[in-house]
Amino acid sequence: MREIMLVVQLLRDGFFFKCFHRWYALHWPRNQHQASGTFHSFWTLRFLLVLAALATVVISSPAPSIRLHTRQPLAASSLISLEESQRHYLFSVMRARAGDSVALFNGQDGEWLARISTISKSSVQLSLQSQLRPQRAEDGATLLFGVLKGARLPMLVEKATELGVSQLQPVLMQHCAARAVNVPRLQAIAVEAAEQSGRLTVPSMGNPLPLKAALQKWSELQPSRALCVCDERGGSRLIGELAASGEVEANSGVLIGPEGGFSSGEFGLLRELDFVSFVSLGPQILRAETAALASLAVLNVIPRCATKVR
């Protein structure tokens, strides 16, 4: 159906029709008697042009618009069975049918083109055809964030995933307005955001940790990587300045406080750590989720641009 609609749009725009009309006027015999054995009806020629455009569109079909993440290994000619939620999405929401194409990725084997072999109200099976993209490293920033309340937390996870974050770590702090975190739901939101944004990996979601435990974990696993602490008090260097100079990199960490900000005791704890860099996001006071996304956007772009310039 998409291919037919594209052909209709081409005809409506009239680009190919006008080009062919110009060629016809210049090169086709004007004397109908001299044109014996040829097509005398221009509408017949236009119909053939429609068929040619349709054939071109069908042969050069774009990549599938549906992308799904799976935990199963992906290899040529493999048969893949999807989870029930994914079957429901394909069958009931997208109205997919046998023969439709789907892009699959698992964070390890790249992205693959798959065809739906069978689909029904109870099951779905796909056959892998070919690899669309090889697997590549997506070593983005790590986001540590104070637990937020309401819809701000799911939005933060979704947008941080779109911005290329590699790890998400909820942190419990003194001024957190919420304490409970539904980790499976947030992980599902990250999966959906990775599917929509074209990523080949899904960021990992950690269980909530107290600030001291989160900092201890950072020092044990990646002590050589900077942890940028967004300081709402002002006076710190701009995160963009540090990123441009190479003092922080694209895969550095970002720590965002909760709605109420860091407590004086938490600031004191952070000042004692060598891997912590206090950073500013400008003169405005930003919401926690805004500060997180602004920091990730800077780390996602400026270090890579600075590397190309150097």
Side-chain angles (χ1 to χ4, degrees), residues 91-110:
F91 185 77
S92 301
V93 179
M94 300 304 296
R95 303 293 183 182
R97 295 296 179 260
D100 289 352
S101 60
V102 178
L104 296 179
F105 68 103
N106 62 1
Q108 297 177 341
D109 302 316

Side-chain angles (χ1 to χ4, degrees), residues 165-219:
V165 70
S166 62
Q167 299 178 59
L168 294 158
Q169 177 59 62
V171 181
L172 300 174
M173 304 185 202
Q174 183 176 338
H175 294 160
C176 284
R179 297 279 170 176
V181 178
N182 189 338
V183 174
R185 177 170 177 263
L186 294 180
Q187 185 68 68
I189 291 173
V191 169
E192 293 178 2
E195 293 172 344
Q196 293 293 325
S197 60
R199 290 186 54 163
L200 293 176
T201 61
V202 176
S204 61
M205 173 69 64
N207 292 314
L209 293 173
L211 177 60
K212 189 173 183 179
L215 295 173
Q216 179 66 28
K217 180 180 177 181
W218 183 274
S219 66

